């Protein structure tokens, strides 16, 4: 079904016959590594190819509609020219600068984390072309986020697939049905699993080309796929949309980009019509509109170039060309956006990041909301950079993530509050816990016998080293106690002892901590007048224990 609607979106007057000729010509010119895998007899049908993902499997796009434009038959490069130079060229064959940079960054990232996959950036470019026309001609800001959300048609079963809401409208603004979102057209349920932070801003935004490109790369590399193998590449593409026509279209652009392309400025690429009809949101104020606006539909007025950026595509299947009403931009609520348990050992960074989501009065995501994160309570924990309060702004998905939280030396619980700056909404509170450093082993640093005469002090000091999972355990609390023998030892009231600052006898020491190298040297130990063999027990935070023998012997006659 996805391919059926894709054909309606072909630009110009290209017929199915011309498309078939184009595909055949491209296939004939391909190298061995780009041969199409079997498509079940080459019928041109819309069933997955043999060995591909089952049509019952979830697809990244929910099998949403896509653009079936085919690339020009003329190769975009000339013999002897570099395909990496930022030269000026036609918008159809060029890729906007930020979009191209995102594809190449994703390729490098996958080469570091999943080298066996051998993901080529040209495959991401092909899918990005088919799904959104390269983020609608590269209409993205300096961070790579589209000026307005790219949304596919409502997947309500009226001419399209039926996918009920899975994200409460957080990504697509629809709390009844899902819509494919962003330049790589992920449905919300797939993004919830595969979403990535490709530009390092602490958010996973499907409308950011860096985030979406990295997520698409990881999705395509799922399992043990090697995308240098034609069959694996075909399976990967079919997992994105279960359609052989989709596979052939992506393959055509993939081979086209492999033969060469060039960089064009952001916002100057060809802008395809919105998927499923409707009007095209205009660029962000201050940006240049696309030089190639979509052609007007018969019997309807063309889209106005100065239409508001937040206008939405019309609903498919209903026969109406009226744009959907723009969701109200009034802040309705703030909520925890999935932050997990906040626990860290003293001195360490919290692995979990605090994330909050702003919603409008209809429950959809609300961007550009100022949120202040504040640390409260008796703690020396701080945000990265030593700050106890930071103010940030929500992204297109309505979420914002606080900087990394760094635990101090003070253990216990404290609170982090997120409030909408200058608003009267209740704060979203997060409880964080700092636990003491721990050690799972402690041992003496030497094996010297510890012996002295009655009433004298031990000449040798006692030194121990604590470790945790084999690594040095610094700053770990240690308790030292002179204990009795037996199965249930208690503090001994005779034998060796320590001396406090006032010269008093003590046989238990607390407030001891290992140093940076994990070692601890005990204060001097003294003996009373009772001879015998005694035991000194050292216990760490975490339960590690070592028992050391102390001998008090009368001097030889």
């Amino acid at each position: 079904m996805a391919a059926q609607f894709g054909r309606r979106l072909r630009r110009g007057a290209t017929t199915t016959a011309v498309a078939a000729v184009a595909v055949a010509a491209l296939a004939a010119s391909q190298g061995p590594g780009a041969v199409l895998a079997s498509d079940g007899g080459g019928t041109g049908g819309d069933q997955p190819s043999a060995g591909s993902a089952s049509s019952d499997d979830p697809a990244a796009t929910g099998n949403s509609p896509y653009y079936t434009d085919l690339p020009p038959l003329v190769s975009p490069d000339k013999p002897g020219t570099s395909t990496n130079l930022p030269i000026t060229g036609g918008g159809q064959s060029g890729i906007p600068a930020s979009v191209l940079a995102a594809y190449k960054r994703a390729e490098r990232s996958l080469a570091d984390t999943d080298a066996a996959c051998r993901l080529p950036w040209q495959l991401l470019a092909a899918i990005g072309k088919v799904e959104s026309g390269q983020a609608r001609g590269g209409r993205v800001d300096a961070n790579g986020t589209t000026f307005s959300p790219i949304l596919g048609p409502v997947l309500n079963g009226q001419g399209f697939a039926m996918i009920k809401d899975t994200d409460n409208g957080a990504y697509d603004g629809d709390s009844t049905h899902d819509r494919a979102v962003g330049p790589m057209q992920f449905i919300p349920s797939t993004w919830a699993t595969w979403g990535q932070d490709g530009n390092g801003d602490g958010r996973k935004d499907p409308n950011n080309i860096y985030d979406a490109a990295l997520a698409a790369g990881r999705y395509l590399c799922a399992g043990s796929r090697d995308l240098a193998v034609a069959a694996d590449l075909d399976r990967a593409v079919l997992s994105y949309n279960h359609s052989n026509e989709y596979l052939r279209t992506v393959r055509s652009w993939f081979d086209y980009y492999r033969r060469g392309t060039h960089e064009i400025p952001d916002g100057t690429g060809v802008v395809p019509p919105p998927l499923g009809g409707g009007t095209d949101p205009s660029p962000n104020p201050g940006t240049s509109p696309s030089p190639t606006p979509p052609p007007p539909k018969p019997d309807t007025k063309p889209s106005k170039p100065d239409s508001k950026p937040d206008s939405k595509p019309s609903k498919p299947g209903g026969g109406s060309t009226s744009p959907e009403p723009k969701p109200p931009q009034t802040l309705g609520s703030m909520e925890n956006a999935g932050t997990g348990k906040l626990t860290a050992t003293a001195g360490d960074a919290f692995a979990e990041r605090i994330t909050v989501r702003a919603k409008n009065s209809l429950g959809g995501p609300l961007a550009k909301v100022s949120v202040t994160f504040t640390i409260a309570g008796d703690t020396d924990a701080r945000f990265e950079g030593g700050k106890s309060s930071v103010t940030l702004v929500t992204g297109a998905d309505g979420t914002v993530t606080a900087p990394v939280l760094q635990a101090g030396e003070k253990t216990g619980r404290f609170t982090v509050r997120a409030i909408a700056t200058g608003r009267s909404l209740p704060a979203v509170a997060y409880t964080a816990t700092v636990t003491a450093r721990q050690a799972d082993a402690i041992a003496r640093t030497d094996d010297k016998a510890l012996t002295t005469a009655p009433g004298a002090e031990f000449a040798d000091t006692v030194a121990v080293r604590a470790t945790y999972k084999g690594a040095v355990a610094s700053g770990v609390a240690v308790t030292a106690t002179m204990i009795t023998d037996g199965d249930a030892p208690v503090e001994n009231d005779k034998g060796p002892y320590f001396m406090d600052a006032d010269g008093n006898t003590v046989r238990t020491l607390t407030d001891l901590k290992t140093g940076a190298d994990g070692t601890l040297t005990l204060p001097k130990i003294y003996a009373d007048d009772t001879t015998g063999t005694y035991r000194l027990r050292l216990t760490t935070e975490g339960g590690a224990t070592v028992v050391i023998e102390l001998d008090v012997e009368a001097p030889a006659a």
Side-chain angles (χ1 to χ4, degrees):
M1 181 174 290
Q4 174 186 352
F5 288 94
R7 282 192 289 272
R8 296 180 182 176
L9 301 169
R10 188 183 306 282
R11 294 175 57 84
T14 306
T15 65
T16 304
V18 173
V21 171
V23 172
L26 284 167
S29 65
Q30 297 171 136
V35 177
L36 285 168
S38 170
D39 63 358
T43 63
D46 202 32
Q47 298 302 315
S49 62
S52 70
S54 166
S55 60
D56 293 331
D57 295 337
T61 66
N63 294 324
S64 292
Y66 55 90
Y67 297 105
T68 57
D69 295 0
L70 293 173
L73 293 178
V74 179
S75 179
D77 63 340
K78 297 180 180 179
T81 63
S82 169
T83 59
N84 294 319
L85 295 176
I87 62 176
T88 302
Q92 183 72 11
S93 61
I95 300 177
S98 293
V99 179
L100 181 59
Y103 296 151
K104 291 185 176 181
R105 180 183 293 186
E107 178 191 59
R108 292 193 299 270
S109 178
L110 267 296
D112 291 338
T113 60
D114 191 1
C117 176
R118 295 194 282 183
L119 170 77
W121 67 261
Q122 292 91 341
L123 180 58
L124 295 176
I127 291 175
K129 179 68 175 179
V130 169
E131 293 294 347
S132 69
Q134 309 299 17
R136 303 195 63 75
R139 295 163 71 183
V140 297
D141 62 20
N143 294 320
T145 302
T146 57
F147 290 127
S148 57
I150 298 176
L151 298 175
V154 178
L155 300 176
N156 56 6
Q158 299 180 23
F160 302 101
M162 163 66 83
I163 301 180
K164 292 187 177 181
D165 175 64
T166 60
D167 65 330
N168 197 28
Y171 294 116
D172 55 14
D174 190 325
S175 58
T176 303
H177 296 93
D178 272 348
R179 304 172 72 166
V181 182
M184 303 304 278
Q185 289 288 280
F186 280 95
I187 55 173
S189 58
T190 307
W191 183 259
T193 301
W194 293 92
Q196 300 291 318
D197 177 14
N199 62 351
D201 64 354
R203 297 196 300 269
K204 298 176 181 179
D205 183 358
N207 282 297
N208 181 278
I209 186 59
Y210 291 96
D211 295 359
L214 182 57
R218 295 200 183 282
Y219 184 90
L220 293 167
C221 286
S224 58
R225 290 176 185 146
D226 179 355
L227 300 184
V229 176
D232 277 4
L233 188 145
D234 288 358
R235 277 190 285 268
V237 173
L238 286 169
S239 74
Y240 219 85
N241 190 310
H242 299 314
S243 160
N244 275 338
E245 182 178 345
Y246 181 84
L247 172 62
R248 285 190 288 271
T249 306
V250 169
R251 273 290 205 163
S252 297
W253 282 105
F254 173 57
D255 294 321
Y256 179 74
Y257 288 135
R258 286 179 65 193
R259 294 197 301 275
T261 186
H262 57 270
E263 176 185 303
I264 59 175
D266 288 348
T268 63
V270 173
V271 180
L275 286 168
T279 58
D280 174 40
S282 64
N284 199 40
T287 63
S288 300
S290 169
T292 311
K297 299 175 72 174
D299 301 323
T300 61
K301 295 181 180 180
S303 300
K304 295 181 180 180
D306 60 348
S307 61
K308 294 183 179 180
D310 293 320
S311 62
K312 303 289 183 179
S314 62
K315 293 183 178 180
S320 172
T321 58
S322 300
E324 294 178 5
K326 184 174 70 174
Q329 298 304 301
T330 302
L331 179 61
S333 63
M334 300 271 290
E335 66 178 18
N336 182 349
T339 306
K341 188 176 181 180
L342 293 167
T343 303
T345 302
D348 290 347
F350 283 78
E352 188 73 14
R353 298 276 294 276
I354 296 173
T355 304
V356 67
R357 178 180 289 110
K359 290 187 172 183
N360 60 32
S361 57
L362 291 183
L366 186 58
K368 299 182 180 180
V369 175
S370 176
V371 178
T372 300
F373 297 90
T374 304
I375 297 173
D378 184 17
T379 181
D380 54 354
R382 293 293 181 266
F383 290 118
E384 195 173 36
K387 297 179 180 179
S388 60
S389 180
V390 293
T391 300
L392 301 168
V393 177
T394 60
D397 62 350
T399 67
V400 61
T401 300
V404 173
L405 190 59
Q406 181 73 37
E409 294 302 320
K410 187 181 291 292
T411 60
R413 293 185 177 183
F414 64 95
T415 301
V416 178
R417 294 189 177 93
I419 62 169
T421 312
R423 310 292 182 94
S424 59
L425 289 175
V428 182
Y430 303 81
T431 299
T433 304
V434 178
T435 59
R437 289 184 174 92
Q438 296 188 352
D440 55 15
I442 185 171
R444 286 188 65 189
T445 59
D446 60 53
D447 56 359
K448 292 182 181 178
L450 298 169
T451 304
T452 192
E457 67 180 52
F458 286 82
D460 294 313
T461 57
V462 175
V464 293
R465 175 175 287 107
T467 57
Y468 183 69
K469 295 182 179 180
V472 166
S474 62
V476 175
V478 179
T479 299
T481 305
M482 301 295 179
I483 59 173
T484 59
D485 291 331
D487 295 334
V490 295
E491 182 182 282
N492 207 334
D493 59 357
K494 60 183 178 181
Y497 60 89
F498 302 104
M499 194 177 292
D500 65 14
D502 298 325
N504 299 316
T505 297
V506 293
R507 289 189 168 86
T508 296
L509 292 179
T510 56
D511 299 328
L512 301 173
K513 284 190 176 181
T514 60
D517 60 354
T519 63
L520 167 67
T521 300
L522 297 181
K524 287 184 178 180
I525 302 175
Y526 303 88
D528 62 11
D529 294 333
T530 308
T531 61
T533 298
Y534 297 89
R535 303 168 72 198
L536 166 63
R537 182 182 65 197
L538 286 87
T539 304
T540 71
E541 186 75 36
T545 299
V546 62
V547 176
I548 301 169
E549 287 190 350
L550 302 171
D551 291 321
V552 180
E553 300 177 351

